[in-house]
Every structure is written in C-alpha cells, then in structure tokens.
Amino acid sequence: MKNEMPAATTSFQPLSFPPSHFAKLAPRSYLHAHLSSPNGRRPSGRPPSEPRNPSINTGSLTHCHGSAVVRSGDTAVVCGIRCEILNAADVVDHKPATKSEDLRRRYGGASTRLDTTELDRRKRARTEDAEEMAHLDLLVPNVELSTGCSPSYLPGAPPSEEAQSLSHRVLTLLRTSQLLSMDDLRIWYHPPSSDTTLSNLPPEAPSIDPTSMSLDVPNEPPSEDAEENIPKPEVKAYWTLHITLLVLSLSGPPFPTLWIALLAALRNTRLPKARWDADNQSVLCSPLTSDAQTLTMNGLPIAATYGVFDSEKDGAGLVSSVQDVGSGKQRRRWILADPDGFEDSCCEEEVTVVVREAERGGVEVVKIEKEGGGFVGKEEMKELVAEAGKRWREWRGLVEGHR
C-alpha cells in the first residue's frame, strides 16, 4: 500500500506596501490619511500649523562681502553678496546730490510736501531711497536652482522660469520693504576747505563794542554767490550689491528660505570704507577690516508660506470644513504651514505673507502673494497674518543672533 503524501497547503499573505511606496502610488490619499488621523499630524510628524525651524551659518564664503548658508528641512540655500562700485559719471542723467540736500530731505527744511511728524519724514526718506535704488539698479539679485537640487532640474538645462520668477520676487520685495538705506550705498567726496573761501564772504563782519559788549550783526545776509563758492560734499559713486542665491536642495516652496538667507547675508555684509580721490578721479577703499561698516536695515521682514490641501479633489474627507450647496457633502481643507515638497505637490492653493515690526508697535503686513484656489478669504487671511506674526517673533531672534 502506497503512502500518500499530504497535500501541500499554501498560505496567502496580504498585499502590503511600505509607507514610502504608498506615498508614491496615492500621495493625496496618503496625506489625507495622516491629517484625518486622531493626532492630525502630517507624514513628517509636524502639526498643520508648525513650520520647519531653519539653521543659519554666516560668513561661510571667503571671497564675498557677506554670505550665509540656511537650511530649512530638506531645503538648503547659499547666499553670497559681492559689492561693486558704480561711478556716478557712468550713470545716464545722473543728478548729483549734495550733503545739504540730503540732510534737508531727511530732517526737514524746504520741501514741496508738508510733513507733520518725524515718522512722516522717515517714511518719505525711505520711499525716495527705494526710488533712487530702483533708478540706479543698485540691488541685483539672481536665484540659481542648482543641478541635483530636485529631480525636476536636469544638468545642462537653461535657467528655468521658476528661477527667473524667484529672482523677480526677491527684487520686488527688496524694493517694497524698503529694506536698505541709500546712506550706506553712497560714496561721498568732501572737498578740502581753503582760505580762499573766506575771501568770498561779504565785507561786513560782526564787530564787538568793548563798553557794551553788544554784537552788531549786519542786516544783509551773505550773498548767494558766496554760498555757491563754498565747496559742498558731493556723491561721486555708489555701492552696487550683487546678490547670488544658490539653491542646493529643494523641498517645498523655496521663497521663505531664500529670503531668510538673504537677510542673514545682508546682516553679515561689511562694506569697505571708501572715499573719492580727486587726484586719481577714482574711489579708494581702506584695506582694514576694522574700518568696514555694516548695512542699516529697516526691520527684519519675514516671509511665511502656507499651502491649502483640499480633500475633495480625490473624493475623501481640515482645519475648516465647508458645506457644498446641493451635494450635502462636507469638503474639508487643511491649511499647512511651510509645506515640504511632498505636501506642496498635493496643495492647490498657496499664500505667502511677509510681515515685520511696525514703527508704532505690533506687526505690519509688507506684502501678500496668493496663487491658485479660492478657499482663503478675508477671515482665513487674518488668521494667516496672525500666524505669520508669531513666526516673525520666533525667527527674529534667530536671524539677529548671526552677524
């Protein structure tokens, strides 16, 4: 009798994927599953309102006047600032400013506009500084998305539209925020005073009566010819800031990290002490680092980006829910602060808020940019501005702690 072999039993294992594969196969469902879980956290472990904390290192580039390396999550940016001299004689239709005109413009005096407070005068001076910088093109930012920073950027490709758009956004915010002062970028020529100037004064001079010790001042003021013959300081050149922002690694919207790197590099910038040499008709710079000066910055505007994830796009179920008229379903949406690359690919709407400290206290909005979608309205925008104000208070100390 033959021994019969027992039939082999086959056990079936359930099909399963690791989280990384599931995120690639169904990214929106993967993100929605995390956000709708009881803890409501993202795949990275952050709550929806928590941004990534950046790390800053300044002075990393030797051959730049100012530099900074900033890393925020998987986004890394290097910023280098190189200062070049622009001669006033090379500017078309240049109108040289004198020291007296600059002081009168800033601190009152003859003006076509009546300013009632010191705050109004400072605002007017900053506006005129921004207009002069734009006219002379003294700020030249350039954003480069390096090869390998993201799978989307292949080697040998020309500058992308995103890089050009980011360069324009950085330049626009530099001008809108009125971040820098023209006082730091002007190179003055101070003519030497000579005794010949005294001979041009009117012949009348104050005389002292030794008995009464009274001072007899002539009734006629000095002539206009005498004032014109007195040499006045004059602007002969300007500093031009060439700003290069290189994105080494990209994950999520790059603009907030680009802007923080720029702020840190500007605070690290040292302008050499420069003077105009009348004999050589050129600018001479001091080689001593102790003579270098820092840039005066008008506050520290901080940019914060938010993405809106709409679960309705893939038929699923936010911080906020809206009842669809006629369908009876609720659409749930999450507003994600500082989204990374994976979260940004799932968001349909993006809002960037730039805030800084107001001169009268509190926080003021410098600029708001919005792209795509229609969920963020007036009330949501107020909440985003408040959240951006909290981030400004947290990151101001981080940026100010690096020179």
Side-chain angles (χ1 to χ4, degrees):
M1 186 174 180
K2 295 182 180 180
N3 295 328
E4 295 182 358
M5 299 295 293
T9 59
T10 304
S11 60
F12 294 94
Q13 299 293 334
L15 184 63
S16 62
F17 297 99
S20 58
H21 290 182
F22 185 45
K24 293 180 180 179
L25 293 174
R28 297 185 58 83
S29 299
Y30 181 75
L31 179 59
H32 175 261
H34 279 80
L35 295 175
S36 58
S37 63
N39 59 12
R41 292 182 177 269
R42 315 187 216 181
S44 60
R46 292 184 292 150
S49 60
E50 181 181 326
R52 296 173 290 182
N53 293 323
S55 61
I56 302 176
N57 293 294
T58 57
S60 304
L61 304 181
T62 307
H63 302 290
C64 292
H65 293 91
S67 62
V69 179
V70 175
R71 186 177 184 91
S72 178
D74 291 333
T75 300
V77 176
V78 178
C79 179
I81 299 178
R82 185 78 181 175
C83 304
E84 302 291 342
I85 294 176
L86 171 65
N87 289 327
D90 298 334
V91 179
V92 180
D93 298 333
H94 178 254
K95 297 179 181 180
T98 61
K99 199 72 174 180
S100 59
E101 292 175 353
D102 182 64
L103 292 176
R104 183 169 58 249
R105 176 173 64 89
R106 292 182 176 275
Y107 302 106
S111 174
T112 57
R113 176 181 172 182
L114 179 61
D115 297 322
T116 57
T117 64
E118 181 66 23
L119 180 60
D120 293 334
R121 285 193 288 269
R122 289 200 299 267
K123 287 184 177 180
R124 177 167 58 91
R126 288 171 186 161
T127 302
E128 294 177 358
D129 280 356
E131 293 175 354
E132 187 174 1
M133 286 184 197
H135 173 70
L136 299 173
D137 287 330
L138 299 183
L139 304 177
V140 187
N142 181 42
V143 177
E144 298 180 10
L145 299 171
S146 64
T147 301
C149 70
S150 172
S152 304
Y153 300 99
L154 302 177
S160 63
E161 294 182 1
E162 184 178 4
Q164 299 178 36
S165 174
L166 288 171
S167 300
H168 178 70
R169 290 177 64 184
V170 170
L171 177 60
T172 302
L173 185 54
L174 279 171
R175 294 175 177 175
T176 304
S177 62
Q178 302 173 1
L179 187 62
L180 300 177
S181 172
M182 279 298 300
D183 290 340
D184 299 329
L185 305 182
R186 295 190 182 103
I187 300 176
W188 293 90
Y189 168 59
H190 297 271
S193 57
S194 61
D195 295 335
T196 56
T197 306
L198 299 177
S199 61
N200 297 325
L201 295 176
E204 298 84 355
S207 59
I208 299 177
D209 185 359
T211 58
S212 60
M213 298 298 293
S214 61
L215 183 63
D216 297 332
V217 181
N219 295 329
E220 297 182 0
S223 62
E224 295 182 358
D225 295 337
E227 293 183 354
E228 292 179 357
N229 293 331
I230 299 177
K232 299 178 182 178
E234 183 180 350
V235 176
K236 288 293 187 179
Y238 301 90
W239 285 111
T240 302
L241 305 185
H242 294 270
I243 305 168
T244 301
L245 293 154
L246 178 62
V247 181
L248 300 178
S249 178
L250 179 59
S251 177
F255 187 78
T257 309
L258 287 169
W259 185 252
I260 294 179
L262 173 59
L263 291 179
L266 287 173
R267 289 181 57 83
N268 182 249
T269 299
R270 301 293 185 271
L271 291 178
K273 184 179 180 180
R275 65 178 181 87
W276 178 263
D277 185 37
D279 296 332
N280 298 322
Q281 290 295 300
S282 62
V283 177
L284 301 180
C285 297
S286 173
L288 301 178
T289 56
S290 58
D291 294 338
Q293 65 176 7
T294 59
L295 294 174
T296 304
M297 299 176 63
N298 179 24
L300 285 175
I302 298 296
T305 298
Y306 302 88
V308 178
F309 172 66
D310 188 354
S311 61
E312 180 66 17
K313 296 295 183 179
D314 61 348
L318 241 160
V319 171
S320 177
S321 60
V322 181
Q323 184 77 25
D324 279 352
V325 179
S327 64
K329 297 187 303 181
Q330 279 196 344
R331 299 179 57 180
R332 303 187 64 200
R333 301 181 177 92
W334 283 265
I335 297 179
L336 308 179
D338 191 16
D340 56 24
F342 170 74
E343 297 162 353
D344 185 53
S345 64
C346 300
C347 294
E348 298 80 21
E349 188 173 357
E350 182 179 301
V351 180
T352 300
V353 182
V354 183
V355 296
R356 69 176 169 201
E357 184 180 11
E359 295 193 18
R360 291 187 173 94
V363 175
E364 66 177 359
V365 177
V366 178
K367 190 175 184 181
I368 295 178
E369 296 178 346
K370 185 176 179 297
E371 179 182 358
F375 168 69
V376 177
K378 185 177 180 180
E379 296 301 324
E380 291 79 11
M381 192 65 71
K382 290 181 179 179
E383 296 179 3
L384 296 184
V385 170
E387 289 294 329
K390 295 179 182 178
R391 184 184 299 189
W392 172 83
R393 295 180 181 90
E394 296 172 356
W395 289 6
R396 178 183 61 175
L398 183 63
V399 176
E400 289 180 345
H402 293 79
R403 273 289 189 181

